Amino acid sequence: MNTTLNRDTLAQVSPKLAELSQQVLFGDIWQRPQLAPRDRSLITLAALVALGRTAQLPWHIDFARQNGVTDDEIAEAFTHLAFYAGWPAAVSALTCLAEEKK
């Protein structure tokens, strides 16, 4: 079974990790004024692609859209990453983007 946890389902499996994610990651780190949420989304997408964390990409692609990143910009970031994170990583990320467009 290949279940991907999100903000809601994470709390069912690990309440403490969900609490830390909400309070520290999204309640503090994502709120710091030194970077805009849009920039944080692009950084997060790049890190997930580079580390091959494709299970996390669909949620963060949607979150990036909410933060003002367009699908064209996401596709361009993933294309750019092909030369730094590797071709397979970029293609896998673009596959996630294509699935999210459906």
Side-chain angles (χ1 to χ4, degrees):
M1 188 164 93
N2 204 6
T3 302
T4 301
L5 298 175
N6 60 35
R7 270 182 164 171
D8 300 321
T9 57
L10 179 61
Q12 296 169 5
V13 177
S14 178
K16 186 60 178 180
L17 185 56
E19 175 188 333
L20 290 169
S21 296
Q22 187 60 42
Q23 291 179 357
V24 178
L25 179 58
F26 291 104
D28 180 18
I29 300 301
W30 274 85
Q31 303 307 314
R32 294 168 53 84
Q34 291 84 353
L35 289 172
R38 182 182 192 288
D39 298 330
R40 290 186 190 278
S41 281
L42 284 169
I43 292 165
T44 301
L45 290 173
L48 293 173
V49 170
L51 294 169
R53 305 301 196 256
T54 56
Q56 303 300 310
L57 279 176
W59 189 90
H60 279 283
I61 288 170
D62 184 55
F63 195 49
R65 289 174 179 142
Q66 293 173 41
N67 287 328
V69 183
T70 67
D71 283 357
D72 285 343
E73 291 169 322
I74 294 170
E76 186 62 26
F78 291 169
T79 300
H80 186 81
L81 284 165
F83 295 91
Y84 294 92
W87 214 269
V91 173
S92 294
L94 286 165
T95 300
C96 289
L97 179 61
E99 287 295 317
E100 287 297 303
K101 283 186 173 188
K102 289 182 180 179

